[in-house]
Amino acid sequence: MEGNDWNTGCAPDSASADRSLQTSVVQSRYPPATNARMKAYRIATIPGDGIGKEVVPAGREVLEALATTSSTFSFEFENFDWGGDYFRKHGAMMPADGLAAIRDRDAILFGSAGDPHIPDHVTLWGLRLKICQGFDQYANVRPTRILPGIEAPLKRCGPGDLDWVIVRENSEGEYAGVGGRVHQGHPIEAATDVSIMTRAGVERIMRFAFRLAQSRPRKLLTVITKSNAQRHAMVMWDEIALQIAKEFPDVTWDKELVDASTARMINRPASLDTIVATNLHADILSDLAAALAGSLGIAPTGNIDPERRFPSMFEPIHGSAFDIMGKGVANPIGTFWSVVLLLEHLGELDAAKRVMGAIEQATANPALHTRDLGGNATTAEVTKAVCELLGPSARRKAA
């Protein structure tokens, strides 16, 4: 998936604002090259909870290693300690003015939100969804393919047969947050969660998905629906898909019920390429896709504002995984692939290709497989290997 522009042709921004005193220029471990034309990208890192605190620093190391070989860009990082620990101290997952603190960043590298001692809806709505909705990151992009050296569970499915991008509507639908509870604790207690779809919201995600499909070699899009049972919003979803399709005559598209699509992903993976679905449907299907490609530990996500009004956010999809937190065995590949998406978003396509190449070299080596891939490698070992593949010595060998 390297090389795709998740921003549908928008020109990347240049970071030229004054630097915060809290921001440390990458120079201690990996000093950046100096050049009058060098871009200094401002990256907010939010490790969050669980293994996010391990894989986000690993992702930063990869960006630092990459910067050592560039005469055109460098990175400035500012870390934000928001998450479960912040909640225990302050009663909130992030400060009330948290969005303002990161609004001027070029991108956000996020870890995970989830703590076994805090209700899941509090952690999710208090941090990740607050950022996604606050910055209107309405296009969630999740590429999935079988990387070299990874044994995927599907029989008769080679790497070329499973190469998908799932586009998830990321701002409304089933996760709009509309609903409530009444008569709590009584026999007549009732609760509602209302799925809200707007014409504007559906049109923009459909147009984004068609453009992305158009940019891929197969120019193939599958629209996921459930309009046989959900006869209002999903029927509108289908109607808008048909309308937007007329703008893209070179894209071949079809429609699939969400339940049938699970069987199709398993039985006919090569029949799929770009997929667009609602917030809930794509959330579920993308986890299935990652598992079919070998592990949730390798899967990336981009939460994109295609219009670039706000920073976009990049994260692995694996969650906080508290059961392995602190053991040093978390797979950082999902974060590294998210770094690829981040670089593509910044317009650094050559750098993105280099990181993707380093990822593929790492996964091709069984000695660098972490536990989720059936190996014994540690987070630190995988990170070191990828950084060495990106560092100055690797650059000299390639030259």
Side-chain angles (χ1 to χ4, degrees):
M1 272 313 303
E2 64 275 19
N4 281 298
D5 183 0
W6 311 123
N7 310 287
T8 61
C10 297
D13 292 334
S14 170
S16 59
D18 291 338
R19 310 309 182 207
S20 164
L21 291 176
Q22 294 178 291
T23 303
S24 60
V25 178
V26 179
Q27 57 185 6
S28 56
R29 185 168 178 179
Y30 298 105
T34 58
N35 188 297
R37 300 173 60 190
M38 178 177 284
K39 302 174 185 176
Y41 293 114
R42 304 182 71 193
I43 310 297
T45 56
I46 307 175
D49 301 317
I51 61 172
K53 297 177 181 179
E54 300 168 54
V55 296
V56 166
R60 173 174 170 165
E61 283 191 52
V62 165
L63 286 169
E64 291 174 349
L66 184 68
T68 65
T69 65
S70 175
S71 60
T72 60
F73 65 82
S74 63
F75 299 103
E76 298 178 355
F77 296 93
E78 184 174 0
N79 192 63
F80 296 85
D81 63 347
W82 304 337
D85 291 340
Y86 188 93
F87 181 89
R88 278 181 275 274
K89 294 178 182 177
H90 304 283
M93 293 291 288
M94 63 184 286
D97 61 351
L99 293 180
I102 57 176
R103 182 184 297 269
D104 63 347
R105 299 308 189 270
D106 294 294
I108 304 163
L109 185 61
F110 185 81
S112 61
D115 188 301
H117 305 295
I118 305 171
D120 287 341
H121 68 280
V122 172
T123 58
L124 186 64
W125 280 97
L127 186 55
R128 184 186 177 275
L129 289 184
K130 187 172 183 178
I131 295 171
C132 289
Q133 293 194 354
F135 287 154
D136 199 21
Q137 298 165 346
Y138 66 83
N140 180 284
V141 180
R142 298 190 170 191
T144 305
R145 60 184 172 91
I146 302 174
L147 296 178
I150 291 181
E151 185 177 347
L154 288 180
K155 294 181 180 179
R156 301 181 300 278
C157 178
D161 298 322
L162 198 164
D163 186 352
W164 307 329
V165 183
I166 297 178
V167 176
R168 170 184 174 185
E169 200 293 312
N170 208 36
S171 64
E172 50 183 38
E174 302 88 350
Y175 297 173
V178 179
R181 294 175 66 180
V182 296
H183 308 303
Q184 288 181 248
H186 297 279
I188 58 171
E189 181 175 357
T192 61
D193 277 297
V194 181
S195 175
I196 299 294
M197 292 190 194
T198 65
R199 173 165 289 275
V202 178
E203 283 185 355
R204 68 183 185 177
I205 199 63
M206 285 294 175
R207 194 166 281 115
F208 180 94
F210 270 94
R211 284 187 182 130
L212 180 54
Q214 188 181 52
S215 74
R216 286 169 59 81
R218 297 177 67 188
K219 300 185 187 300
L220 176 64
L221 177 67
T222 297
V223 177
I224 302 299
T225 186
K226 192 56 183 170
S227 52
N228 59 340
Q230 294 175 282
R231 59 182 182 170
H232 302 298
M234 292 306 303
V235 170
M236 185 182 77
W237 172 273
D238 292 352
E239 292 172 353
I240 292 174
L242 180 61
Q243 167 197 326
I244 299 299
K246 295 175 183 177
E247 302 175 17
F248 300 89
D250 57 335
V251 174
T252 301
W253 74 287
D254 64 352
K255 187 174 69 173
E256 189 78 80
L257 294 176
V258 63
D259 44 343
S261 70
T262 60
R264 181 173 169 183
M265 290 169 72
I266 294 169
N267 295 326
R268 295 187 294 128
S271 71
L272 296 163
D273 188 81
T274 309
I275 301 165
V276 62
T278 68
N279 220 330
L280 175 61
H281 292 165
D283 189 7
I284 296 168
L285 293 179
S286 58
D287 275 17
L288 172 60
L292 294 177
S295 170
L296 265 67
I298 63 175
T301 298
N303 300 288
I304 308 296
D305 167 26
E307 287 73 42
R308 296 179 177 272
R309 300 156 296 169
F310 307 103
S312 294
M313 182 166 69
F314 304 87
E315 58 175 324
I317 76 170
H318 52 55
S320 55
F322 261 76
D323 57 323
I324 61 171
M325 177 186 176
K327 297 180 180 179
V329 298
N331 192 341
I333 293 295
T335 300
F336 300 161
W337 199 345
S338 298
V339 163
V340 172
L341 304 189
L342 183 153
L343 290 166
E344 290 174 344
H345 173 73
L346 296 178
E348 301 292 349
L349 301 187
D350 288 341
K353 290 178 182 178
R354 287 189 59 212
V355 176
M356 198 71 225
I359 289 170
E360 292 175 340
Q361 289 183 67
T363 60
N365 183 356
L368 294 175
H369 286 189
T370 45
R371 282 193 341 192
D372 58 307
L373 298 175
N376 296 303
T378 65
T379 309
E381 288 169 344
V382 178
T383 303
K384 180 182 177 182
V386 171
C387 288
E388 288 176 349
L389 289 166
L390 293 170
S393 60
R395 190 71 167 185
R396 287 193 295 270
K397 289 178 183 177

